[in-house]
Amino acid sequence: MDLQRVYSLLELKLLDWADALIVSLPNAIAAIVVLLLFFIFAKLLRRTTVRLLKRFSSNANLVYILGGIVQITIIVIGLFVALGVLKLDRAVSSLLAGAGIIGLALGFAFREVASNYLSGIILAFQRPFVVGDIVEIRGHFGGIVKVGLGATDLRTPQGQIVVIPNREVYREPLKNFSRTGL
């Protein structure tokens, strides 16, 4: 008799779940559609952003990174909208709080790296030098070989490659001998 009671409770619970699934099915389908639309929109906006930025910047790394940031931002917004459609408002609040805490922790952990990349982005827009310019940075003299988002490579007259983090390139005085031709 006890087994019959367990079976009936289990049956009631499964029927409740089935009813809840049927009731929430339209919202789940709407959330999936919203998410797919945001994915498509994010991809299109990324392409448009990359196309526009290529006109203004010759730094391909910067262009693609900014395009990726735009795409990820749109996808995250779509995820929050989809969770709102599913009426998971508390989950959205928890995700935002968690993202804030994780962002703060990552900000402290990767402060140096983030500083190098932000300096690289600023250098890409300001363009104090280009590949081939003869410069002196932090006492290192030579020609610019590569300008990346994290570091700048400099070839000395002896043929050595000096990798200087962009944070230091941005903060330190820079002599560009190619600008004036002297």
Side-chain angles (χ1 to χ4, degrees):
M1 188 117 156
D2 197 39
L3 188 60
Q4 182 66 26
R5 183 170 176 244
V6 169
Y7 175 74
S8 64
L9 287 174
L10 183 60
E11 183 181 20
L12 283 174
K13 192 61 159 175
L14 289 174
L15 287 173
D16 286 344
W17 284 352
D19 288 342
L21 178 67
I22 291 170
V23 167
S24 65
L25 193 59
N27 286 347
I29 292 171
I32 291 171
V33 169
V34 164
L35 207 52
L36 285 174
L37 289 174
F38 270 91
F39 271 114
I40 293 167
F41 179 65
K43 195 169 188 169
L44 291 173
L45 195 60
R46 178 175 191 241
R47 284 183 190 162
T48 304
T49 303
V50 167
R51 205 174 307 131
L52 285 174
L53 288 176
K54 279 184 177 179
R55 293 180 185 173
F56 300 108
S57 176
S58 62
N59 189 339
N61 290 336
L62 174 67
V63 168
Y64 288 112
I65 284 178
L66 290 177
I69 289 171
V70 167
Q71 183 177 12
I72 289 171
T73 302
I74 298 299
I75 289 172
V76 168
I77 290 170
L79 179 66
F80 287 137
V81 170
L83 288 173
V85 167
L86 289 172
K87 295 183 171 78
L88 296 174
D89 297 334
R90 283 193 286 170
V92 171
S93 300
S94 298
L95 280 173
L96 286 174
I101 292 170
I102 290 172
L104 187 64
L106 288 175
F108 281 121
F110 295 107
R111 184 177 60 228
E112 300 280 327
V113 174
S115 176
N116 283 332
Y117 279 100
L118 286 174
S119 297
I121 291 170
I122 292 169
L123 288 172
F125 281 115
Q126 287 183 346
R127 299 186 65 139
F129 50 79
V130 294
V131 173
D133 281 0
I134 306 297
V135 298
E136 184 177 340
I137 305 170
R138 295 199 66 209
H140 299 286
F141 177 81
I144 299 292
V145 176
K146 178 182 159 209
V147 182
L149 283 178
T152 298
D153 294 356
L154 182 82
R155 184 183 307 275
T156 65
Q158 295 82 17
Q160 299 167 326
I161 299 291
V162 180
V163 179
I164 305 170
N166 280 338
R167 175 177 46 94
E168 295 175 15
V169 173
Y170 183 71
R171 288 191 331 192
E172 298 290 326
L174 164 78
K175 292 181 187 173
N176 189 340
F177 299 100
S178 298
R179 282 275 165 102
T180 62
L182 301 175

